[in-house]
Amino acid sequence: MQQEGLKRLSAFREAEKRLRVGAALSRWATHALLLLLVLVLLQSLLSLPPAGRYLLLAFALLLLLASWLKHVLRPLTDLLFRPEHPSLNSIALRIGREYPQLQDRLANALQISARPEANDVKVSPELIEAVRAGIPAFLADIDLSRHLDRAPACRWLRRLAAAAALFLFAWLLFPKTLLIGLERTIHPRRGLSGQLAPEIRVEPGDRMVVRGAPVTIRAWTETLMVGDLQIAIERFGRRELLSMTRGMSDTFRYAIPALRDSLLYQILYQKSATRKYLLRVVDLPMIRSLQLSLQPPSYSGAEPFLLEENIGDVSALKGTRIEWRAEANKPVTEASLRFSSGRILPLEVKGRQLATTFALQGEESYYAELKDNSGLASENPIVYHLRLLADQYPFVRLLAPSGDVDLHEDMRLSLLIQAQDDYGLSGLAIGYQVVEENQAKIDSSRFRRLELPLHRSGQAIINLAYDWDLSSSPLLPTEALLYYIEVRDNDTVSGPKSARTGLYRARFPSLYELYKEVNSEQDDAIAGLEENYEKGLELKKKLDEMAQQLKRADELSWQKKQEVGDLLKQKEELKQELEKIAGNLDEMIEKMEENQLLSPETLDKYQELQELYREIMTPELQKNLEKVAEAMQKVDPAQLQKALEEFKLTEEALNKSLDRTLSLLKRLRMEQQLDQAIHMNEDLQKRQRELTEKTMQSQGEEREKLAKEQEGLREDLHRMEEAMADLQQEMGREPGMPEESVAAAREELAKAGLQGQMEAMQGAIAQGNSDRMQSGSQQVQAGLERSREQLQQAKDAMTGAMMERAMRALQRGTRSLLSLSQMQEELLRSSAGMPQGSARVPETAERQQQLSSSLERVINDLYAASKESFGITPRIGKALGQAQQAMQQALQGLENRDLGQAGQQQGQAMAGLNEAVLQMDAAMQSMAQGQGGGMSMGQFMQQMQQLADGQQGINAQTLSLSGGGESLSLAQQAAMSRLAQQQGGIRKSMQQLASEAAGLSDLLGDLEHIGRDMEKVEKDLAGQRVDRSTIERQNRILSRMLDYQRSMRERERSQERKAETGKEYHPSSPGELPGDLGQRRDRLQQDLLRAKEEGYSRDYLELIRKYFESLGEREEKR
Amino acid sequence: MTKRGRWWLLLLGAALILPIERLSADASEFTIARLKYGGGGDWYNDPSSVPNLLAFLRTRSSLATAKEEVHVSLMDDQLFACPFLFMTGHGRIAFTPQEAARLRIYLTSGGFLFADDDYGMDEHFRREIAKVLPDHELLEVPFSHPIFRSPFSFPEGLPKTHEHDGGVPQGFAIFHEGRMVVFYAYNCNISDGWADPEVHHDPPEVREQALQMGMNIVVYALTH
């Protein structure tokens, strides 16, 4: 038992000693590691010479040894060589101190149990034995391992681990540096042998470098170096020695930021040097200059152009040809353009020149890729962009007409088209179809196209005035033409783009609708004028009353003022109504003119009426109105009365003018209705003729439509008959109207039984009986023509009678006025030398009064005549008015015995009378000229009409003789020969007419064609060879003769539109401008000049000259 | 040059420049106003003529011109914004009293009217213009007048563009307080010569002359 206790203590001692050794070794190892690290670093960084390195190494070793001796030697010796140290006793004491119950009892027991000879004290063996036996008991409850001091060992172990970690970390961070340091530590003398060159490594050595690229030359060695490296650079024959920069791990660098030229280099170290290396500068292939030439697509009309040099971006129209040319910096062997779309376009290569051509098709980018003969490829190419310029859609609009319109009689639609495109237009067309008037559903597939002529394709803006002749279109009255304008641009690359206007409608109103409309407007105008006239009369009556009342009033009461104000207001309203009627009248006349509803003569009369009407609204009327208003403001009854008197006079004149206008308008309406009837008749004839022609050429399915058309003609005939009946009735109400002729015209229609004829023709068309149709048509046309002649006679009679009456009134008036003028002159002469108080003054006044009364009678007579003729002009009325006023004032002067004033006014009266005579003479001449001499257009057309009538007769007889192919009897053969002679007669008359009217129109050339046809017909008739072609030719002759009349009439109306390029003239300059530049001219001189311009006869001019001279002298004397 | 001479030259230059300056300040582009008159005449005749003259002015002078003409009637508010009024036609013209008064104000306040007889307008124009300026006479303009001299020289007066009735062309004018306010071209129809070539098929030299004369009239109207 005792042995076991001792063993435990001994084991404790061993463990304790080992711990001490472990701690010491850890401590030493820590020191060694740190020392090694510091040493290696110092060796590496300090680059000490070998002696220094040895010294440092020795110092480090000494330190290591010292640390060993100090910390490791003793514990290790104790462990290895001193097993009883420390003694168990000392250990027992140390443990006993830890346990109060134990204290030194364990130590004591150990001492007692030790060998007795070792003790001085005598102890019994039993005791010794007992103590020995008790030792384990002391240690029984004690865990000795708890008393082992492990802390130092653990602490140093941790430190060792930290040092090792530090060491490793340093190695990881600076492996090269530490290796060098280690190398120098291990081999302090290495590197001093002089064997440097083979050990130096150089980068990049020999190398090709792209010009301008950065280069870094590095040099290093595996062995240790003392001192720096140098680099020797040779270029352009010069050698340059430069220091290299030392970097980490003894690597030396020399950087060239951009190498421009080739060079040789070598690394020098002390007296040694590497071989020479070559850095050869090479150029990468690249584009040096670029030139693009663009050829826009031909439709754009743009010229080819060059882009600025080195501009590779392109913005152009699709389809533009791009000629791409470039020059490379060096010869290349291979080149291409690479597009962002993936397309690769090889370039044509000739040395340094590169070229290709391609078309711009879309938006993309591209760059050029080049390769030279050494395989070097271009780098970092410039990317260029291709962009498309948009080619906009074209634009078209219809400037006129601005909306839906009614077609006029001439069946022409004047279109004013504006179209434009950014690069030009290639086509302009009208799309159209005929639709029923109220047809709502439009079948777009039925539109037909009419290409319009473009002067030049490719124009960017077109303003086209197109006069669309619809006369040959199958448009019937009350049908409408639906049309639009379409324009196409000239884009030939992507295909022409088109644009179109909205749909417009041109309606073809029937003649009867137009007449109805115009008649209704005319009725409104007449009613308006009548109402205005009535109101005017009433107003005048009120003015009379007002003037009477004012004569009796001393002052102007508020009530009176109010009444006058009301009158003025009423007048103003009447004036406005008159202006409105004037506007309506203008519109109506314009419409009639456009639709050619009137004969030129009636139209002229309407225009004169317009003038007359305009002159109703004289400036005097406005002035007098203002005067009345002014007098009212001043509250002066006398002044107001005077103003009202003047106003009354103006109002009276206005009422008279209105009365005359109204009367003329009513007569004109009658004349116009006659025109309408004639026009309707001609229209029916024309349509019947056309329908017959169409029927002759028609196929089965068309007949139904044509029969319907025939029915329409019959309805229109009925309308015409109704219009003629109305006209006859109206004429019956007015005296001197050719009612009988109109009745005769109606009778002709009834006699011919046209309604029945037309009905029968309708059936003939449906059955396809063309012969029946043709003969019926001729009978209808003949009947219509006879009726038309009667109407024409009625018109001639009407206008002739009116003119005759006016002429007679003017002649009568001229005679009377000349006589009055003479008497006035005598009176002036007799009163000129009369003394103030002469007893002959009253007698003179009486004679003046008689003269004045006579003048009034003449005026009344002329006024009555003026109601049915425009020949009596307002100028005549004005001159007579002046004469009358002057006579009144002369009479007043004589009554007041103011002979000076009387004489002056008598002179004025004379002047007025003479002026009136001059005006009346001019009016008569004008009327006489209207009846004309020589061959006028009217006569020409009249003769042509007669020839056409003759031709019509021949045609009808020829048809009846043709007899369906049977052989002709002798009588028929004789009749045929007669017809041939008649045809020859008409042909000769036609030639005669053409030669007589040679200067009348350049259309006469067309007559030659008719002549040739007539000749052929003549031969057919003479040779008894009448067949279908003869009949057709005859119809064509008649049709042309009638068309010719029509075209002549239209030409007469539109002659002003003829434009012929001017010939050369060499005029002489008029004289210099007068000093006053025409602004203030002597009125008398002006009047004389005007008289000259009006072309009076020499006698008259002499008379006028003297008259003006005398007036001038009088003015001067005054 | 004397000191006085220099002053006159300066004033002349200012007189020439100021109206153009005023124009460019009032409206960026000069245009010609076509007069829409009543009476039934075709005031709208030859729609391509004025745009062509404007184009000619633009290319042959430094005048900034519009591409299109404008249409004004005498009662339009815009009338007084138009420095140059042009009328033509074949037929009737009728001014109401109010229209005549307005045209009188326009002309006497600085406006200019160029009338070109396209055959058939003469009688109506003379009658109506007499209503407008009753105290002013329509005088035939001698060939020495500046309107025939600058910028293009027409030593024989108006060029004959279209024949119509034949006879020598004549230019008439009305002056108000020394200034030409109306220029009336008779028997020559120069505005037909301004129209697109396909309209009347006039030879290029005839059109060129017509356009040159048109430019003379415009330049004269704007600088006097």
Side-chain angles (χ1 to χ4, degrees):
Chain A
M1 290 298 290
Q2 179 208 356
Q3 287 301 318
E4 192 179 343
L6 290 175
K7 278 183 185 172
R8 282 187 65 192
L9 283 173
S10 296
F12 177 77
R13 183 173 60 195
E14 278 299 311
E16 202 168 44
K17 282 162 76 173
R18 279 197 294 274
L19 277 173
R20 278 189 200 143
V21 170
L25 284 173
S26 297
R27 187 171 188 171
W28 182 80
T30 303
H31 288 164
L33 272 176
L34 291 174
L35 193 62
L36 179 63
L37 186 60
V38 171
L39 176 67
V40 167
L41 279 173
L42 285 174
Q43 291 283 25
S44 178
L45 296 174
L46 295 177
S47 292
L48 294 168
R53 291 180 193 173
Y54 278 118
L55 198 62
L56 196 60
L57 182 60
F59 181 68
L61 289 172
L62 274 176
L63 283 177
L64 199 60
L65 182 62
S67 174
W68 176 268
L69 292 174
K70 185 182 176 189
H71 302 297
V72 182
L73 187 61
R74 191 170 170 189
L76 192 60
T77 310
D78 285 348
L79 179 67
L80 296 175
F81 304 111
R82 295 168 69 189
E84 293 302 321
H85 181 77
S87 64
L88 293 177
N89 196 34
S90 64
I91 292 169
L93 278 172
R94 194 153 43 93
I95 291 169
R97 280 199 290 273
E98 297 290 327
Y99 298 95
Q101 76 276 12
L102 191 60
Q103 296 289 334
D104 56 352
R105 286 166 64 194
L106 181 57
N108 291 339
L110 286 174
Q111 284 173 11
I112 291 169
S113 66
R115 287 176 305 184
E117 57 274 13
N119 294 320
D120 294 331
V121 181
K122 297 291 186 188
V123 179
S124 65
E126 294 81 16
L127 181 61
I128 293 169
E129 198 57 36
V131 169
R132 284 182 180 171
I135 289 171
F138 287 128
L139 295 172
D141 297 326
I142 295 169
D143 179 10
L144 290 176
S145 63
R146 280 185 56 233
H147 298 283
L148 285 173
D149 185 9
R150 294 185 180 91
C154 289
R155 186 166 62 244
W156 282 107
L157 272 173
R158 282 198 300 273
R159 286 176 183 170
L160 177 63
L166 179 67
F167 194 80
L168 279 173
F169 188 64
W171 271 99
L172 285 173
L173 279 181
F174 314 108
K176 191 88 180 171
T177 308
L178 293 180
L179 271 173
I180 290 168
L182 192 61
E183 176 73 17
R184 288 174 181 171
T185 307
I186 298 165
H187 307 289
R189 290 187 60 79
R190 190 170 285 182
L192 301 175
S193 63
Q195 302 295 316
L196 179 67
E199 293 178 10
I200 292 179
R201 290 191 178 179
V202 177
E203 274 188 356
D206 295 319
R207 175 68 66 88
M208 282 198 294
V209 181
V210 175
R211 189 184 300 277
V215 179
T216 301
I217 300 169
R218 293 189 300 153
W220 73 97
T221 174
E222 299 300 325
T223 56
L224 290 170
M225 284 189 295
V226 179
D228 294 332
L229 297 184
Q230 287 185 307
I231 183 168
I233 291 176
E234 288 178 30
R235 53 185 160 188
F236 308 123
R238 287 191 325 195
R239 183 181 170 89
E240 206 174 354
L241 199 60
L242 301 161
S243 294
M244 295 184 82
T245 310
R246 178 191 286 270
M248 297 292 282
S249 311
D250 275 354
T251 301
F252 288 80
R253 292 165 185 269
Y254 177 76
I256 305 172
L259 185 62
R260 298 285 171 200
D261 303 293
S262 299
L263 56 83
L264 288 167
Y265 72 96
Q266 109 183 102
I267 308 298
L268 305 174
Y269 178 69
Q270 294 179 347
K271 291 180 180 174
S272 303
T274 62
R275 71 175 177 86
K276 287 181 180 173
Y277 298 97
L278 172 64
L279 286 180
R280 190 157 67 88
V281 170
V282 292
D283 289 311
L284 282 181
M286 58 181 282
I287 301 291
R288 179 175 282 169
S289 68
L290 181 65
Q291 180 69 71
L292 267 63
S293 165
L294 270 56
Q295 163 105 48
S298 59
Y299 77 79
S300 69
E303 295 291 322
F305 62 97
L306 286 175
L307 291 186
E308 275 183 46
E309 201 177 344
N310 294 329
I311 296 292
D313 289 334
V314 175
S315 292
L317 280 175
K318 191 175 183 182
T320 299
R321 298 289 303 168
I322 300 170
E323 194 179 313
W324 194 96
R325 290 185 176 281
E327 190 184 11
N329 58 337
K330 61 196 293 192
V332 294
T333 54
E334 200 182 320
S336 60
L337 292 183
R338 290 175 179 265
F339 294 86
S340 56
S341 59
R343 184 162 62 111
I344 298 172
L345 181 66
L347 293 173
E348 190 185 320
V349 179
K350 280 183 188 166
R352 300 198 308 177
Q353 304 300 324
L354 314 168
T356 189
T357 304
F358 61 96
L360 179 59
Q361 292 298 343
E363 298 211 334
E364 55 188 335
S365 56
Y366 74 97
Y367 63 88
E369 190 176 86
L370 318 178
K371 268 187 188 170
D372 65 7
N373 50 9
S374 53
L376 284 172
S378 54
E379 286 180 2
N380 303 320
I382 299 172
V383 178
Y384 298 107
H385 298 276
L386 302 177
R387 293 187 183 89
L388 291 180
L389 286 181
D391 179 359
Q392 303 293 341
Y393 272 77
F395 163 79
V396 61
R397 65 174 170 161
L398 192 60
L399 297 176
S402 54
D404 294 344
V405 288
D406 280 351
L407 286 170
H408 299 152
E409 168 71 6
D410 60 1
M411 292 294 280
R412 283 177 178 275
L413 188 57
S414 293
L415 303 175
L416 191 55
I417 301 163
Q418 190 180 59
Q420 69 183 77
D421 185 61
D422 40 4
Y423 291 102
L425 298 160
S426 64
L428 197 60
I430 302 174
Y432 67 96
Q433 64 168 290
V434 175
V435 293
E436 292 293 325
E437 189 181 3
N438 297 317
Q439 185 179 323
K441 198 176 171 188
I442 306 299
D443 180 2
S444 56
S445 65
R446 283 187 57 231
F447 275 107
R448 296 171 66 189
R449 284 176 71 84
L450 171 66
E451 288 294 329
L452 300 184
L454 293 185
H455 175 62
R456 181 168 58 83
S457 183
Q459 280 177 282
I461 297 177
I462 291 175
N463 282 306
L464 180 72
Y466 182 70
D467 192 24
W468 192 6
D469 184 0
L470 294 163
S471 55
S472 58
S473 73
L475 198 60
L476 295 175
T478 71
E479 283 186 334
L481 187 78
L482 206 59
Y483 68 100
Y484 60 83
I485 313 295
E486 187 179 86
V487 66
R488 298 186 301 280
D489 74 1
N490 59 354
D491 184 353
T492 49
V493 174
S494 308
K497 294 181 285 297
S498 65
R500 60 168 67 169
T501 62
L503 282 176
Y504 292 88
R505 200 178 278 263
R507 191 175 162 276
F508 182 27
S510 73
L511 198 60
Y512 306 92
E513 279 178 317
L514 287 170
Y515 280 137
K516 199 174 165 188
E517 204 177 327
V518 165
N519 288 344
S520 153
E521 283 171 13
Q522 209 166 30
D523 287 344
D524 288 348
I526 290 173
L529 281 177
E530 276 175 346
E531 192 185 348
N532 213 301
Y533 178 61
E534 293 297 326
K535 283 182 183 170
L537 289 179
E538 202 178 319
L539 189 69
K540 178 158 178 308
K541 203 172 149 193
K542 283 184 185 169
L543 279 171
D544 284 343
E545 284 169 13
M546 185 66 65
Q548 286 299 325
Q549 286 171 11
L550 281 173
K551 272 182 190 167
R552 294 193 293 272
D554 292 337
E555 60 182 40
L556 194 61
S557 68
W558 180 85
Q559 195 184 352
K560 284 277 168 278
K561 205 172 151 185
Q562 202 65 16
E563 284 172 18
V564 176
D566 286 347
L567 284 179
L568 290 183
K569 204 172 156 192
Q570 280 176 32
K571 183 66 224 166
E572 194 59 43
E573 283 168 6
L574 283 179
K575 199 177 132 214
Q576 281 172 9
E577 275 177 38
L578 280 176
E579 280 169 357
K580 199 174 153 194
I581 293 170
N584 293 343
L585 207 59
D586 286 351
E587 280 176 22
M588 185 186 77
I589 292 169
E590 203 172 322
K591 192 182 286 177
M592 289 198 287
E593 191 178 356
E594 282 172 354
N595 287 294
Q596 298 178 15
L597 300 183
L598 299 173
S599 66
E601 305 83 47
T602 316
L603 182 66
D604 285 345
K605 285 178 188 167
Y606 262 112
Q607 284 170 350
E608 282 181 50
L609 182 79
Q610 252 176 321
E611 287 305 311
L612 189 69
Y613 192 83
R614 281 180 192 284
E615 286 176 16
I616 291 177
M617 310 303 293
T618 55
E620 285 83 13
L621 176 70
Q622 186 63 34
K623 217 161 89 184
N624 288 338
L625 269 173
E626 283 165 11
K627 271 187 189 172
V628 175
E630 198 184 333
M632 269 173 56
Q633 293 298 322
K634 290 185 178 169
V635 202
D636 179 354
Q639 200 178 342
L640 182 59
Q641 192 194 338
K642 198 180 165 199
L644 278 178
E645 286 295 337
E646 283 177 17
F647 184 53
K648 244 170 58 185
L649 286 175
T650 324
E651 184 64 19
E652 201 173 315
L654 180 123
N655 286 339
K656 269 191 170 178
S657 294
L658 260 183
D659 185 26
R660 184 187 172 202
T661 308
L662 197 53
S663 171
L664 283 171
L665 185 60
K666 282 179 181 170
R667 281 188 174 270
L668 258 183
R669 191 178 190 284
M670 214 90 78
E671 208 170 318
Q672 175 206 323
Q673 279 176 310
L674 251 178
D675 271 353
Q676 284 178 2
I678 294 169
H679 198 174
M680 283 180 191
N681 187 306
E682 287 171 348
D683 180 63
L684 275 178
Q685 285 192 53
K686 181 179 158 248
R687 283 163 59 201
Q688 184 62 64
R689 201 165 47 250
E690 287 169 354
L691 181 61
T692 308
E693 278 169 20
K694 277 194 273 180
T695 310
M696 300 301 281
Q697 295 157 7
S698 68
Q699 301 298 319
E701 61 272 19
E702 293 172 31
R703 283 185 195 140
E704 196 182 334
K705 196 184 169 195
L706 294 173
K708 207 174 162 189
E709 220 174 294
Q710 183 66 62
E711 193 186 348
L713 278 179
R714 193 166 59 81
E715 284 168 7
D716 286 347
L717 173 70
H718 180 63
R719 287 193 192 101
M720 186 183 81
E721 285 171 341
E722 279 181 348
M724 284 166 72
D726 289 347
L727 177 62
Q728 190 187 345
Q729 204 177 351
E730 279 194 38
M731 279 187 167
R733 289 193 207 113
E734 293 284 330
M737 287 287 159
E739 184 195 353
E740 308 77 29
S741 298
V742 177
R746 288 183 66 201
E747 206 179 313
E748 286 291 348
L749 291 180
K751 250 194 317 194
L754 295 187
Q755 285 286 346
Q757 284 279 7
M758 284 194 174
E759 208 169 332
M761 281 159 66
Q762 198 179 331
I765 295 171
Q767 289 158 14
N769 186 347
S770 54
D771 289 344
R772 170 75 190 92
M773 170 68 191
Q774 202 166 18
S775 64
S777 168
Q778 284 177 356
Q779 284 169 24
V780 165
Q781 285 186 62
L784 283 170
E785 182 55 28
R786 283 194 295 277
S787 173
R788 194 196 69 81
E789 281 167 10
Q790 290 293 340
L791 288 172
Q792 189 64 49
Q793 275 178 23
K795 195 181 168 203
D796 292 346
M798 186 174 167
T799 50
M802 282 198 300
M803 191 185 288
E804 199 185 328
R805 282 198 291 275
M807 192 71 111
R808 272 207 295 272
L810 281 170
Q811 283 166 350
R812 224 174 24 243
T814 307
R815 280 197 301 275
S816 306
L817 288 180
L818 280 173
S819 157
L820 281 175
S821 176
Q822 205 175 357
M823 289 196 292
Q824 183 66 67
E825 196 173 359
E826 282 167 12
L827 199 60
L828 173 64
R829 211 173 289 138
S830 68
S831 61
M834 205 178 279
Q836 193 85 9
S838 169
R840 283 167 56 210
V841 171
E843 183 199 332
T844 311
E846 197 181 332
R847 282 174 65 195
Q848 186 64 59
Q849 175 62 48
Q850 284 166 358
L851 282 181
S852 182
S853 303
S854 303
L855 179 61
E856 199 171 343
R857 278 194 295 280
V858 175
I859 290 173
N860 287 338
D861 188 31
L862 284 170
Y863 174 65
S866 77
K867 282 183 169 187
E868 58 181 42
S869 168
F870 289 98
I872 297 154
T873 63
R875 278 186 179 183
I876 299 172
K878 200 173 173 184
L880 287 173
Q882 280 171 357
Q884 194 180 24
Q885 199 177 357
M887 278 189 187
Q888 287 296 328
Q889 283 174 3
L891 184 63
Q892 210 172 348
L894 287 168
E895 281 169 359
N896 296 338
R897 290 189 177 267
D898 183 353
L899 296 182
Q901 188 210 339
Q904 194 183 336
Q905 291 303 326
Q906 281 169 333
Q908 291 286 339
M910 248 176 73
L913 289 170
N914 293 346
E915 175 67 17
V917 169
L918 291 177
Q919 294 293 344
M920 283 159 74
D921 189 64
M924 282 190 287
Q925 279 188 33
S926 170
M927 273 199 248
Q929 277 166 10
Q931 286 169 339
M935 176 166 276
S936 66
M937 182 68 77
Q939 283 172 327
F940 175 82
M941 291 207 302
Q942 199 177 350
Q943 286 189 28
M944 180 62 92
Q945 180 62 46
Q946 283 169 3
L947 291 176
D949 290 347
Q951 184 67 46
Q952 198 168 358
I954 294 172
N955 290 5
Q957 288 179 54
T958 310
L959 190 69
S960 63
L961 286 174
S962 63
E966 293 168 14
S967 59
L968 297 174
S969 65
L970 284 174
Q972 283 174 322
Q973 285 176 14
M976 196 76 92
S977 300
R978 250 194 335 272
L979 284 178
Q981 283 172 1
Q982 282 176 17
Q983 185 66 74
I986 287 182
R987 180 173 59 79
K988 282 175 191 160
S989 301
M990 178 75 84
Q991 284 166 347
Q992 178 71 22
L993 180 61
S995 64
E996 280 177 13
L1000 208 57
S1001 166
D1002 53 6
L1003 275 180
L1004 287 168
D1006 295 348
L1007 292 178
E1008 288 175 17
H1009 298 289
I1010 303 178
R1012 278 198 291 274
D1013 270 347
M1014 281 180 176
E1015 253 181 48
K1016 284 178 188 162
V1017 170
E1018 202 180 327
K1019 279 180 189 166
D1020 286 351
L1021 289 169
Q1024 319 283 324
R1025 294 186 304 272
V1026 174
D1027 56 12
R1028 193 173 190 83
S1029 68
T1030 315
I1031 304 290
E1032 280 175 5
R1033 193 169 286 125
Q1034 278 186 324
N1035 283 335
R1036 194 162 61 230
I1037 291 168
L1038 180 63
S1039 168
R1040 278 190 183 169
M1041 286 169 91
L1042 295 171
D1043 282 351
Y1044 189 73
Q1045 284 185 74
R1046 178 185 154 83
S1047 70
M1048 285 295 284
R1049 199 176 293 134
E1050 282 173 0
R1051 196 162 182 80
E1052 187 186 28
R1053 284 175 192 172
S1054 60
Q1055 196 183 3
E1056 63 271 21
R1057 295 193 181 275
K1058 186 173 67 177
E1060 185 190 339
T1061 302
K1063 299 183 180 76
E1064 241 182 78
Y1065 287 88
H1066 298 289
S1068 52
S1069 175
E1072 287 305 307
L1073 293 167
D1076 63 0
L1077 290 174
Q1079 202 173 340
R1080 284 180 296 277
R1081 194 99 192 240
D1082 183 58
R1083 293 294 302 176
L1084 295 177
Q1085 202 180 345
Q1086 263 187 15
D1087 291 342
L1088 183 59
L1089 279 174
R1090 198 185 306 133
K1092 276 184 186 171
E1093 280 167 10
E1094 284 175 4
Y1096 294 115
S1097 67
R1098 190 175 292 176
D1099 294 344
Y1100 259 121
L1101 271 177
E1102 186 60 24
L1103 185 69
I1104 293 166
R1105 192 181 60 76
K1106 281 183 180 167
Y1107 168 66
F1108 284 127
E1109 275 173 5
S1110 68
L1111 284 182
E1113 280 165 15
R1114 194 172 294 179
E1115 288 287 323
E1116 277 172 20
K1117 279 177 195 167
R1118 202 176 298 153
Chain B
M1 189 181 280
T2 63
K3 195 173 176 184
R4 177 177 284 189
R6 280 198 295 274
W7 271 108
W8 275 115
L9 197 66
L10 193 67
L11 279 173
L12 182 68
L16 285 170
I17 291 162
L18 278 176
I20 295 171
E21 279 294 309
R22 190 190 63 203
L23 270 177
S24 59
D26 291 346
S28 57
E29 290 177 331
F30 164 77
T31 193
I32 291 172
R34 187 189 279 260
L35 182 62
K36 285 193 321 195
Y37 52 81
D42 51 343
W43 59 268
Y44 41 79
N45 171 43
D46 284 334
S48 64
S49 57
V50 174
N52 285 348
L53 177 63
L54 289 169
F56 186 82
L57 287 166
R58 194 161 53 243
T59 51
R60 299 291 185 92
S61 74
S62 56
L63 194 62
T65 62
K67 286 186 178 167
E68 298 296 330
E69 63 186 8
V70 292
H71 298 161
V72 288
S73 67
L74 288 171
M75 300 310 287
D76 273 349
D77 290 342
Q78 299 96 308
L79 176 69
F80 289 90
C82 308
F84 191 99
L85 213 53
F86 165 65
M87 70 185 289
T88 186
H90 296 87
R92 299 188 69 254
I93 302 166
F95 296 147
T96 63
Q98 292 88 343
E99 285 175 336
R102 205 131 194 276
L103 183 55
R104 179 162 51 249
I105 295 167
Y106 169 80
L107 293 173
T108 54
S109 312
F112 184 89
L113 170 69
F114 168 50
D116 185 33
D117 173 30
D118 199 351
Y119 186 76
M121 192 178 100
D122 185 62
E123 174 199 343
H124 307 284
F125 174 73
R126 286 176 185 271
R127 184 194 61 229
E128 295 303 304
I129 203 68
K131 278 190 202 169
V132 175
L133 294 163
D135 297 329
H136 298 64
E137 200 176 351
L138 200 55
L139 301 174
E140 189 170 0
V141 184
F143 302 163
S144 58
H145 192 271
I147 203 164
F148 296 123
R149 293 284 164 195
S150 173
F152 301 101
S153 178
F154 288 89
E156 293 189 335
L158 283 166
K160 181 88 175 171
T161 304
H162 276 168
E163 196 58 29
H164 292 315
D165 246 359
V168 294
Q170 287 174 287
F172 295 92
I174 291 178
F175 294 86
H176 175 73
E177 294 175 355
R179 184 178 73 86
M180 186 190 285
V181 294
V182 176
F183 184 70
Y184 171 51
Y186 171 64
N187 224 355
C188 56
N189 199 191
I190 60 168
S191 68
D192 265 6
W194 304 343
D196 286 342
E198 63 270 22
V199 178
H200 301 298
H201 304 286
D202 290 320
E205 61 276 13
V206 170
R207 293 189 68 240
E208 174 71 15
Q209 278 203 329
L211 288 162
Q212 287 182 354
M213 187 63 225
M215 184 162 166
N216 272 22
I217 296 166
V218 171
V219 170
Y220 181 82
L222 296 182
T223 53
H224 286 81

